[in-house]
Amino acid sequence: MHYLIALRRLGSAIRPFTVPRTGAGFHDPLQRGSSIASATAIRRLLLEGGSPAAYLPEYSMSILEREHAAGRGPVSLEDFRSQLRHVLITRTAEELRELQDMNEGLENRLLKVMPQLDQFTVSGLLEALKSKRYTHTRLQRLLVHALLNHSKAELAPSALAGGPGYIRVLGFRESGRKLLKKMKRTAAWPVVLSPAQFTHPGLDRDLRAAAAYAGAFNEPQRADLYADYLKPPVIM
C-alpha cells in the first residue's frame, strides 16, 4: 500500500526501469555449483521430491514446508488434467475459438488430437500439439485460458484499456489507517478491503483463478477455495 501511495506522490517523475537477472534465467534448469535457481527449477525440484533449501531463504523454505504438509502444493498444470479434459471434450470448435489465444485454427487441431491420446495427460497433449508454430509456452498459456474460460472479448485491449478499475488493499500498517481513509474518499478508483462487498470483472476473474488453483490441492476446504474472497487485509 505504501508503495502505491509513493507512486501516486511521485507522479510524472516515475520512470520505468528493470532489474537484471543474475545467476539463472526464469526457466533455466538447476546449474551445478550455483547458489541461485530459477522459479521453474525450484518448482521442478519440489515436484520431484527434492529440497530447494539451498536456493531459498529460511523463512521462504518454512512456508513451502508448511504448505506442502497441509496438502496445498506444489501444484503443476498436470494437476488440472481432469478439469482440462472435461473442458476440452465438452466444447465445440466454435466455443473453443472464442478463447483467448485460440487462433490460426488451433481449435480444430486440438479437437483432432484429443481422440488420439490413449491416456489423457497435459504433458501428452502438449507434446501432440507442439510444433514450430505452436510453442510449448504458448500452448501452456492457452490451456490456462481454457481452464479459466478466458474469452478474447474480455481480454481484448479495448476491454482492458481503462486499467484495473479498482485498488485492492492486501495489507497495511496501523500508521496507514488515516491515509487509507483518505484514499477511500479521494482515489480515482474504488478502494477495496473486502471482495465480498464489491464486484468488478477483473476482481471476479482473480477470485475464480484463485479458487481453480486451490481445486488442485489434495483436499481443498472452503477456506482454500475462497481464501481470496473471505480473507481480510493483513494489519501489520
Side-chain angles (χ1 to χ4, degrees):
M1 170 158 173
H2 290 297
Y3 175 68
L4 290 176
I5 293 166
L7 288 180
R8 191 178 176 193
R9 286 174 177 167
L10 285 170
S12 60
I14 299 172
R15 294 290 182 272
F17 65 94
T18 59
V19 178
R21 284 185 175 274
T22 59
F26 188 78
H27 294 294
D28 285 355
L30 287 177
Q31 305 292 326
R32 186 181 297 276
S34 174
S35 61
I36 300 176
S38 68
T40 299
I42 289 173
R43 283 192 293 269
R44 184 173 296 127
L45 191 60
L46 283 166
L47 290 167
E48 292 172 352
S51 172
Y55 307 101
L56 295 172
E58 188 176 336
Y59 63 87
S60 297
M61 192 63 207
S62 67
I63 293 172
L64 283 177
E65 290 173 339
R66 181 194 71 202
E67 295 301 292
H68 180 60
R72 293 191 291 263
V75 171
S76 73
L77 195 56
E78 198 67 61
D79 293 307
F80 299 98
R81 59 184 173 275
S82 296
Q83 297 95 314
L84 279 168
R85 179 175 56 199
H86 174 80
V87 167
L88 297 176
I89 66 177
T90 57
R91 300 283 180 90
T92 64
E94 290 73 21
E95 290 169 329
L96 290 173
R97 197 175 300 129
E98 297 304 313
L99 293 174
Q100 177 70 1
D101 286 344
M102 190 73 81
N103 302 313
E104 303 169 341
L106 185 52
E107 70 281 359
N108 296 318
R109 179 177 173 84
L110 185 57
L111 291 178
K112 183 178 180 180
V113 161
M114 284 290 291
Q116 298 174 6
L117 300 174
D118 291 331
Q119 183 177 14
F120 181 85
T121 63
V122 176
S123 58
L125 177 62
L126 290 171
E127 193 59 35
L129 289 173
K130 189 175 65 174
S131 68
K132 286 185 178 179
R133 177 182 288 186
Y134 308 125
T135 64
H136 194 271
T137 301
R138 176 184 174 182
L139 292 169
Q140 282 184 312
R141 188 166 58 243
L142 174 64
L143 292 183
V144 172
H145 290 316
L147 178 69
L148 299 176
N149 198 30
H150 286 160
S151 70
K152 291 174 182 173
E154 66 179 331
L155 296 184
S158 57
L160 303 177
Y166 65 96
I167 301 169
R168 184 177 178 189
V169 179
L170 301 180
F172 58 92
R173 295 179 179 175
E174 282 290 350
S175 59
R177 280 186 182 273
K178 192 177 292 187
L179 191 53
L180 180 57
K181 245 182 183 179
K182 182 179 179 181
M183 285 184 66
K184 290 181 76 171
R185 295 194 310 270
T186 61
W189 291 319
V191 177
V192 180
L193 295 177
S194 171
Q197 299 173 6
F198 180 78
T199 185
H200 183 276
L203 179 60
D204 293 342
R205 280 195 295 271
D206 279 350
L207 297 175
R208 291 197 302 269
Y213 180 83
F217 295 169
N218 288 346
E219 294 183 13
Q221 306 297 312
R222 183 179 76 105
D224 298 319
L225 294 168
Y226 301 104
D228 257 20
Y229 183 78
L230 298 170
K231 197 170 184 180
V234 175
I235 302 177
M236 298 174 283

